[in-house]
Amino acid sequence: MKLTASSSIPGNIPDTMEAMTLVGHGDFDMLQHNSAVAVPTILDNQVLIKVSAAGVNNTDINTRTAWYSKSSANSKDASWSGQALTFPRIQGADVCGEIVAVGKNVDPQRIGQRVLIEPCITHVNGKKLTSPWYFGSECDGGFAQYTSVDAVHAYAINSALSDIELASFPCSYSTAENMLTKANVSSQERVLITGASGGVGSAAVQLAKARGAFVIAITSREKREQLLSIGADQVIDRSDNLLTVLASNSVDVVIDLVAGKQWPQLLELLRPGGRYAVAGAIGGPMVDLDVRTLYLKDLSLFGCTVLQAGVFQALIKHIEQNNIKPLIAEVYALKDIPAAQRSFSQKQHVGKIVIDIK
């Protein structure tokens, strides 16, 4: 989609900004700190946002390393959407900031609003995309002092939480809420969550509890108390045999972020008519499926990438009503994103790693 800038930027906003740019697929040396990147010029239906903080996600690492490619790092399917990535690219999907300029079709009263950006992009300059983008993948994201997005994806937020705390929510919590929505989780259901100490997993624990579910979390033994403190009713060590600790047909819903070798046990745990939702494969993308388990138990499997309508608005409501709380593991400066990604990849944290861009 070729776009032409059509809205001017106020004179008090600089022409250039500090940003972390991804210049190609590969190791940490593909991340380059640059203090002279052009500030985005917004289109008629867009807003310019001064970024305050931005969270780190699996997608940042997966995109950099070409993990999404199903063939090789040199192929043209190594992005979130399965298309070739355009470099240089500014990553960063979790953004909290302030609107400082608007396109001519956007209400000027939005200037000054504190906002969170919906990371699943469905509209560009007022036109609906045939295939959604991911903020910081198919378009530049928030690892910079300024970023731009269609106004419909910039949600005003009224909260006493800090910018760093708010930046922990958009990607992980909307992903978790989307999984729970697609799986239609309701009160009193037994919900099993894998990878429960990560950003999405810990979000799913809180959001499932907000729905009144009984939450069973899988994590490492040393993170047990932290998961209990945010609402998990039961915590299982990830090295345990799930069918030994739990019983077959004992779970209504599985929220999976891990996949890997343990995956067949997840379907065995589901009751007849159970639902399985997946939005990650940090344990490995290739799994063994006995199709008899799938059809004889009448299971429903949900892949969860594109946000359902209303999911992000529901998340904003949860934040403003204090139904969920931010979990901040570490905070880094913009220039230290390589170090933040190293720490993220070690998986020793609970909650979110956030970049402070003020």
Side-chain angles (χ1 to χ4, degrees):
M1 178 182 290
K2 186 175 182 180
L3 302 172
T4 303
S6 54
S7 298
S8 60
I9 301 297
N12 62 331
I13 296 172
D15 295 327
T16 61
M17 64 180 181
E18 180 185 357
M20 182 65 70
T21 58
L22 179 68
V23 297
H25 296 299
D27 210 338
F28 296 107
D29 60 340
M30 292 294 103
L31 294 167
Q32 295 186 2
H33 181 249
N34 192 329
S35 59
V37 175
V39 169
T41 302
I42 54 175
L43 305 169
D44 290 347
N45 297 282
Q46 295 186 323
V47 294
L48 182 70
I49 296 169
K50 190 177 191 305
V51 180
S52 300
V56 176
N57 291 288
N58 270 314
T59 297
D60 304 325
I61 287 86
N62 292 344
T63 299
R64 173 176 56 77
T65 61
W67 183 87
Y68 291 114
S69 173
K70 295 180 181 178
S71 50
S72 72
N74 295 319
S75 67
K76 295 184 178 180
D77 64 341
S79 72
W80 178 83
S81 65
Q83 303 297 317
L85 205 65
T86 300
F87 297 108
R89 174 62 70 221
I90 298 172
Q91 296 184 285
D94 276 324
V95 175
C96 176
E98 177 186 336
I99 294 177
V100 293
V102 299
K104 68 179 184 180
N105 294 338
V106 182
D107 186 350
Q109 292 189 359
R110 295 208 63 184
I111 294 176
Q113 279 186 352
R114 192 187 196 196
V115 295
L116 295 179
I117 293 179
E118 182 180 23
C120 185
I121 304 300
T122 58
H123 288 77
V124 175
N125 200 27
K127 296 182 179 179
K128 188 171 183 178
L129 297 168
T130 55
S131 179
W133 293 354
Y134 190 82
F135 199 60
S137 178
E138 285 67 40
C139 61
D140 284 339
F143 288 159
Q145 291 176 307
Y146 293 89
T147 192
S148 62
V149 72
D150 267 36
V152 296
H153 292 300
Y155 284 72
I157 181 77
N158 180 17
S159 172
L161 295 173
S162 70
D163 294 334
I164 287 173
E165 289 172 322
L166 287 175
S168 71
F169 287 123
C171 183
S172 295
Y173 283 74
S174 66
T175 298
E177 179 68 11
N178 194 48
M179 296 174 79
L180 296 168
T181 298
K182 291 193 78 170
N184 195 27
V185 171
S186 60
S187 178
Q188 305 305 313
E189 288 195 304
R190 289 171 61 85
V191 179
L192 178 70
I193 301 171
T194 69
S197 61
V200 179
S202 58
V205 169
Q206 294 189 63
L207 289 165
K209 285 303 297 182
R211 291 172 179 242
F214 182 91
V215 176
I216 306 166
I218 300 177
T219 188
S220 59
R221 185 171 286 106
E222 60 269 20
K223 297 175 183 176
R224 178 178 183 276
E225 294 304 318
Q226 290 169 292
L227 269 296
L228 291 171
S229 72
I230 63 171
D233 296 289
Q234 182 178 356
V235 179
I236 298 174
D237 189 87
R238 63 189 178 199
S239 64
D240 288 342
N241 184 301
L242 300 180
L243 295 174
T244 300
V245 179
L246 302 172
S248 297
N249 304 326
S250 64
V251 172
D252 297 292
V253 178
V254 169
I255 300 297
D256 188 21
L257 302 157
V258 176
K261 294 180 179 180
Q262 208 173 32
W263 192 83
Q265 296 181 40
L266 300 178
L267 298 196
E268 290 292 342
L269 290 171
L270 283 170
R271 290 173 175 154
R275 291 97 70 201
Y276 166 91
V278 61
I282 58 175
M286 306 306 293
V287 299
D288 292 324
L289 169 62
D290 187 332
V291 175
R292 292 169 297 184
T293 304
L294 176 61
Y295 79 80
L296 289 174
K297 294 175 71 171
D298 286 300
L299 302 179
S300 297
L301 308 186
F302 299 98
C304 304
T305 295
V306 178
L307 298 186
Q308 301 280 95
V311 162
F312 203 78
Q313 186 60 60
L315 174 59
I316 294 293
K317 186 176 180 180
H318 278 302
I319 298 169
E320 292 183 337
Q321 294 182 347
N322 298 313
N323 294 334
I324 51 179
K325 64 180 181 179
L327 299 173
I328 307 300
E330 297 171 342
V331 179
Y332 289 82
L334 181 59
K335 64 181 177 61
D336 295 326
I337 285 177
Q341 287 196 7
R342 285 189 181 92
S343 179
F344 186 97
S345 299
Q346 292 169 0
K347 302 297 182 186
Q348 297 302 307
H349 61 287
V350 174
K352 292 288 292 190
I353 293 175
V354 179
I355 307 303
D356 186 354
I357 303 179
K358 281 187 176 179

